[in-house]
């Protein structure tokens, strides 16, 4: 492995989501989905990694591996278990967790919505409800009023495009709908929720980035308390399955539909077709302080049938996703071309590898790619590995291990993998040494 160095102000850490690690919550849509037997290995997010009862132990996983930043989820269904009723116990729990992180020198980023919603909100139609932004805003207000002093960095919505397409187009996640119009509606409503949350968080923290100034203008890692609000976008490197011009056109269209239009809505408030079918908001001011990128893989696009497939004879992970570090560069360059004022934070990147056979190489290759992007002049500032520990993986349940730490779900024992050791050294040295 050739050595490389990341800038001193570059921040390294990992990411998790509440529903995927906490366990113990029966009040969210994923719990219900699991109860219906929808998960491949029959497991349930009710168990997960029992993180709710292990925040002290799991904090040590972060400090032992020299991580500087940690992206964690807040579970809406715990914080607001009933419509308009907030839980002191839940918010105090998160206060304690955030305080522990701060005391240990780890800068937290919180995700306000990461795929799961409270059952009462789902009963009201979830993000199809015309007043969803009002409900979301009320939850966000409560969070920021109670935790805002401990949090600088917010992801409002994790992967809005994946949430909308898997839940409303492919029907493989709750609520299991298969309807294009609903998919667009949910996506547009999520953008509305994001914009309301963006404004509210800045208003409550009253240091809104104005006049085009963003977190990017602060060269150093310490943003001096500046609040940064953005979205974690799932970006795929879509390429034509074959060199045929029809496949080339299809790849462009797929990329536009899945991510181009969505990213535009969440960063500028502009709704382009087909999102504009669901309303028009025309704000073209920046409504994100950073570009959060979750990158996992490249997909080949077929024009015939307009679907995607992994390219043949390429290295793949346990879930059959191609391992393609060059794609990270391509999606970052794409993002920078379209939204040059925004710093790039890799809010997720990682791989499913039960045997831990290729995760070390994966981490090396993707972070090497990041170092090359920085040399090119791209403002890539952070990297959050997915994930800190094995968790309840969507679709696969307990059988999709993405962790730097392996979890034995029976005993809840955590064990640092070899690749985790490698990442810890990389975090400590800010790169790979000779
Ligand atoms: C999601 C995570 C998920 C990971 C691996 C990402 O798209 O944000 O919640 O666990 O992919 O599937």
């Amino acid at each position: 492995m050739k050595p490389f160095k990341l800038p001193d102000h570059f921040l390294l850490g990992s990411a998790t989501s509440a529903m995927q690690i906490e366990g113990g919550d029966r009040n969210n849509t994923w719990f219900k989905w699991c109860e219906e037997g929808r998960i491949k290995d029959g497991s349930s997010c009710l168990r997960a990694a029992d993180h709710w009862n292990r925040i002290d132990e799991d904090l040590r996983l972060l400090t032992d591996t020299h991580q500087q930043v940690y992206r964690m989820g807040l579970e809406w269904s715990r914080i607001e278990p009933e419509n308009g009723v907030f839980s002191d116990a839940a918010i105090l729990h998160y206060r304690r967790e955030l305080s522990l992180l701060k005391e240990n020198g780890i800068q937290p980023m919180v995700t306000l919505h990461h795929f799961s919603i409270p059952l009462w909100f789902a009963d009201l139609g979830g993000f199809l409800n015309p007043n969803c932004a009002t409900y979301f805003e009320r939850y966000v207000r409560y969070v920021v009023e109670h935790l805002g002093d401990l949090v600088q960095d917010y992801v409002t919505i994790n992967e809005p495009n994946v949430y909308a397409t898997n839940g409303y187009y492919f029907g493989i996640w709750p609520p299991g709908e298969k309807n294009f119009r609903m998919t667009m509606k949910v996506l547009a409503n999520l953008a509305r929720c994001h914009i309301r949350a963006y404004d509210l968080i800045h208003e409550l923290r009253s240091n809104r980035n104005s006049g085009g100034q963003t977190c990017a203008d602060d060269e150093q890692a310490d943003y001096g308390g500046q609040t940064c609000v953005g979205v974690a976008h799932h970006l795929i490197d879509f390429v034509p399955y074959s060199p045929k011009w029809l496949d080339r056109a299809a790849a462009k269209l797929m990329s536009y539909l899945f991510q181009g239009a969505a990213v535009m809505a969440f960063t500028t408030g502009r709704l382009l077709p087909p999102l504009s079918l669901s309303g028009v908001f025309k704000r073209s001011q920046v409504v994100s302080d950073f570009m959060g990128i979750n990158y996992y893989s490249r997909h080949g696009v077929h024009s015939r049938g307009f679907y995607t497939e992994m390219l043949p004879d390429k290295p793949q992970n346990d879930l059959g996703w191609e391992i393609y570090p060059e794609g990270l560069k391509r999606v970052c360059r794409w993002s920078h071309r379209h939204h040059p004022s925004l710093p790039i934070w890799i809010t997720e990147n990682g791989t499913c590898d039960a045997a831990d056979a290729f995760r070390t190489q994966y981490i090396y290759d993707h972070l090497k790619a990041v170092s090359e992007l920085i040399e090119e002049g791209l403002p890539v500032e952070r990297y959050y590995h997915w994930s800190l520990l094995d968790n309840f993986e969507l679709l696969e349940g307990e059988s999709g291990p993405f962790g730097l730490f392996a979890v034995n779900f029976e005993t809840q024992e955590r064990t640092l993998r070899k690749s985790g050791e490698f990442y810890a050294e990389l975090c400590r040295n800010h790169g790979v040494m000779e």
Side-chain angles (χ1 to χ4, degrees):
M1 283 180 182
K2 270 178 61 185
F4 68 84
K5 185 90 186 119
L6 294 159
D8 289 340
H9 65 264
F10 189 89
L11 297 176
L12 291 146
S14 58
T16 57
S17 89
M19 178 274 291
Q20 292 179 268
I21 62 169
E22 284 180 351
D25 180 30
R26 295 171 190 270
N27 199 22
N28 72 72
T29 38
W30 273 90
F31 167 69
K32 212 172 142 205
W33 192 251
C34 297
E35 288 290 282
E36 290 165 9
R38 312 276 196 145
I39 307 302
K40 282 189 189 156
D41 65 0
S43 60
S44 165
C45 59
L46 191 59
R47 176 156 85 170
D50 192 33
H51 173 71
W52 187 257
N53 298 309
R54 290 166 197 269
I55 54 178
D56 299 87
E57 177 183 350
D58 289 348
L59 170 81
R60 285 198 296 279
L61 309 184
L62 291 162
T63 51
D64 286 354
T65 49
H66 313 289
Q67 301 188 36
Q68 299 118 38
V69 284
Y70 174 54
R71 176 177 166 223
M72 58 175 265
L74 301 180
E75 182 57 46
W76 183 1
S77 60
R78 285 186 189 274
I79 294 177
E80 189 180 358
E82 288 170 50
N83 188 355
V85 178
F86 291 88
S87 159
D88 290 347
I91 211 74
L92 283 173
H93 173 97
Y94 287 123
R95 265 204 85 76
R96 189 165 106 69
E97 182 165 8
L98 289 162
S99 305
L100 279 174
L101 289 165
K102 287 232 141 176
E103 281 158 29
N104 283 276
I106 293 169
Q107 183 171 331
M109 162 188 262
V110 300
T111 308
L112 295 162
H113 173 258
H114 195 130
F115 300 153
S116 80
I117 54 173
L119 290 175
W120 64 261
F121 181 61
D123 289 343
L124 294 175
F127 292 104
L128 283 173
N129 184 305
N131 297 320
C132 60
T134 306
Y135 292 107
F136 189 66
E137 197 178 35
R138 185 178 61 183
Y139 154 65
V140 175
R141 176 181 292 279
Y142 183 82
V143 166
V144 179
E145 282 175 352
H146 290 79
L147 305 177
D149 56 321
L150 297 171
V151 182
Q152 272 172 241
D153 306 322
Y154 294 83
V155 164
T156 55
I157 318 269
N158 180 67
E159 301 187 347
N161 53 354
V162 173
Y163 178 78
T165 44
N166 282 355
Y168 294 86
Y169 185 72
F170 294 118
I172 53 171
W173 285 6
E177 298 288 354
K178 294 182 180 174
N179 180 312
F180 182 73
R181 278 192 85 87
M182 277 187 186
T183 310
M184 291 302 120
K185 182 105 213 143
V186 166
L187 208 43
N189 279 346
L190 284 170
R192 208 171 264 121
C193 290
H194 162 70
I195 294 168
R196 295 265 288 266
Y198 178 87
D199 285 342
L200 178 69
I201 296 168
H202 280 301
E203 183 196 313
L204 293 174
R205 301 303 299 153
S206 67
N207 56 358
R208 168 150 197 185
N209 306 314
S210 54
Q213 195 205 0
T214 72
C215 308
D217 299 321
D218 246 335
E219 271 284 290
Q220 299 309 309
D222 175 9
Y223 293 115
Q226 190 166 19
T227 302
C228 297
V229 185
V231 170
H233 292 284
H234 187 105
L235 298 187
I236 293 175
D237 184 19
F238 288 109
V239 293
Y241 193 82
S242 80
K244 285 189 297 202
W245 76 266
L246 271 173
D247 281 359
R248 291 209 302 273
K252 284 212 165 76
L253 181 61
M254 184 67 87
S255 176
Y256 170 78
L257 287 174
F258 183 73
Q259 52 209 24
V263 171
M264 187 60 88
F266 286 84
T267 44
T268 67
R270 278 179 60 209
L271 288 191
L272 303 172
L275 278 177
S276 48
L277 291 174
S278 304
V280 211
F281 32 103
K282 285 213 189 81
R283 194 164 152 168
S284 58
Q285 206 181 330
V286 171
V287 286
S288 281
D289 300 324
F290 59 88
M291 179 66 76
I293 296 182
N294 296 357
Y295 170 77
Y296 288 89
S297 193
R298 149 170 95 164
H299 292 190
V301 183
H302 292 276
S303 50
R304 228 184 174 174
F306 198 51
Y307 71 101
T308 69
E309 192 184 356
M310 291 297 150
L311 300 178
D313 308 320
K314 304 286 180 204
Q316 294 186 346
N317 76 5
D318 292 1
L319 303 181
W321 304 355
E322 185 187 346
I323 300 174
Y324 186 60
E326 186 62 26
L328 178 59
K329 290 184 168 176
R330 288 164 47 90
V331 297
C332 286
R333 289 188 193 120
W334 174 86
S335 151
H336 189 57
R337 252 196 327 276
H338 288 86
H339 305 281
S341 69
L342 298 183
I344 296 173
W345 296 356
I346 311 300
T347 35
E348 278 180 36
N349 172 245
T351 195
C352 184
D353 174 16
D356 204 33
F358 47 82
R359 188 179 286 101
T360 298
Q361 189 67 42
Y362 183 101
I363 294 172
Y364 172 84
D365 288 341
H366 286 78
L367 276 158
K368 177 88 172 28
V370 166
S371 75
E372 288 163 9
L373 287 170
I374 294 171
E375 271 165 31
E376 268 175 40
L378 263 74
V380 191
E381 298 181 342
R382 298 188 187 188
Y383 176 89
Y384 295 82
H385 187 77
W386 185 271
S387 183
L388 173 63
L389 71 174
D390 291 345
N391 56 36
F392 174 83
E393 180 54 26
L394 314 150
L395 302 181
E396 284 76 20
E398 292 174 357
S399 320
F402 274 80
L404 298 167
F405 285 84
V407 174
N408 175 332
F409 292 101
E410 292 295 331
T411 61
Q412 292 298 347
E413 192 190 346
R414 280 85 163 117
T415 311
L416 185 60
R417 293 194 160 103
K418 280 267 169 246
S419 55
E421 285 175 23
F422 173 78
Y423 187 58
E425 276 306 285
L426 200 154
C427 291
R428 194 155 72 96
N429 298 319
H430 258 83
V432 171
M433 314 287 276
E434 296 274 358

